[in-house]
Amino acid sequence: MEKRVKIQKEQSVVGVLYDGNNNVKARGDFRVISDRGNRLKLKHEGSGNIYETSKSQFDQGERIPRRIPGGKQDKRKTDKEQKEAQKKMEKSQRKFQEEQEEKKKKEEEEKKKQNLSDSKELMLAGTEQEIITLINAGFKNIWLKGPAGSGKTTITGIVAEHLNKDYLVISCGEGTSPTEFRGRIYPKEQTNEFIETYQKDSIIVLDEFTALLPETAQILNAALANERIATSVGVKLRNPNCIIIATSNTFGTGADAMYVANNQIDASTIDRFTGAIIEVGYSSRYESQFDKEVVETVNDLRECISENLLQRIMSTRSIIMGDKLKNKAKITDWKERLLVPWSPEEREIAWEFLKKKEKERKEAKKEAVKGANGLTIEKSLPKSSHPKKQWNPFD
């Protein structure tokens, strides 16, 4: 049985005050104002409220007990009950935390999708729009020529998605055999993806087209110009809405110092693309979405390559990777990472060029500030400093 502390006047006690229906009226610290027989007059320390009640409606003790209907008092919470309550609270907190993390993850995914959509819109304003214009004008064979990493293949994917066409990319190289286009005969006649897609409303990309062996590329002449191709499963007609897009780093004139894997393509094959050959450069509009310092550095390096006739490439891919190194991986030497493939002599030239460009920018900034300050001083001069010619009737 719980031992009850005798209540004395002016004594501070801890307890719970109930109303006639055994509902909690107030709890916490009370000061006893008067104690007369079975009646108590209490002042609640927290709110300052004064209560008059019977002793049977006030439970006193260091812990706050619970009551059940009928005026009977429950046992105090045991350690086991307290642990269960703690576990319940922790479980609730974990659930809330998981919900918040899931919400954050969904928001990041939505943001990522939006960024991707914005990127596609940025690109669609340039070469993609030119390709769509050619397609609408009736061109079915298109050739994109541009430096490595300029987004040629990405561009074709955006166009296919925009036009809602089936999409197939064939990576070309010297190991690409005629069966990639004609299908197999042994051990039995077989069709392939090219043959199937050729007969659909689609875009077929011949990626790195000039890396094909000339005799393999020539097999495509009929497919490109005659609207049909002889395959292992018979002659197949080209779908009227099938667009074939070739991509390359050269115009099919053979290898050079930069692109050694390119082959010379037969003039008759090149002729199939007449009027629809597009030179693709780096899209400044697309690149502008990335880190400003990274874009600035890569553009400086491009200028350095051009001025010093270096056999190097700084593509849009360099900007994307530089942005990731700087802002996601938090790597401080991201500039050095971009120059890893360069020779020691080339790196030295690049660093000197970057220092020169940085110095030029600082000087230009100082001149701009100086000019702005001068303009401010000019504007702030009092009117007396700009005297107006007085009117003279005898002039």
Side-chain angles (χ1 to χ4, degrees), residues 47-107:
S47 64
N49 294 335
I50 296 175
Y51 301 96
E52 290 189 12
T53 183
S54 65
K55 291 183 178 178
S56 63
Q57 290 180 320
F58 181 71
D59 279 337
Q60 178 194 356
E62 293 182 0
R63 295 185 182 180
I64 300 172
R66 297 178 297 164
R67 288 203 169 195
I68 58 173
K72 292 183 180 180
Q73 191 172 329
D74 278 344
K75 292 181 181 180
R76 296 176 181 177
K77 285 185 178 180
T78 63
D79 290 342
K80 185 178 179 181
E81 289 174 326
Q82 289 177 357
K83 287 179 181 179
E84 288 176 354
Q86 182 69 20
K87 286 181 180 179
K88 190 175 181 181
M89 183 178 69
E90 289 174 355
K91 185 178 179 181
S92 178
Q93 288 176 344
R94 281 196 302 271
K95 186 178 179 182
F96 176 76
Q97 189 175 359
E98 288 171 359
E99 287 175 351
Q100 291 298 109
E101 288 175 356
E102 186 67 25
K103 184 180 178 182
K104 187 178 179 181
K105 189 177 178 181
K106 285 182 179 179
E107 287 175 353

Side-chain angles (χ1 to χ4, degrees), residues 6 9 25 31 35 42 60 72 112 131 148 190 219 244 271 305 342 391:
K6 185 178 180 182
K9 189 176 180 181
K25 198 172 183 181
R31 181 169 291 281
D35 181 5
L42 306 170
Q60 178 194 356
K72 292 183 180 180
K112 196 173 180 181
I131 293 171
Q190 289 180 343
I219 289 172
I244 296 178
D271 185 62
I305 291 168
W342 294 33
W391 177 72

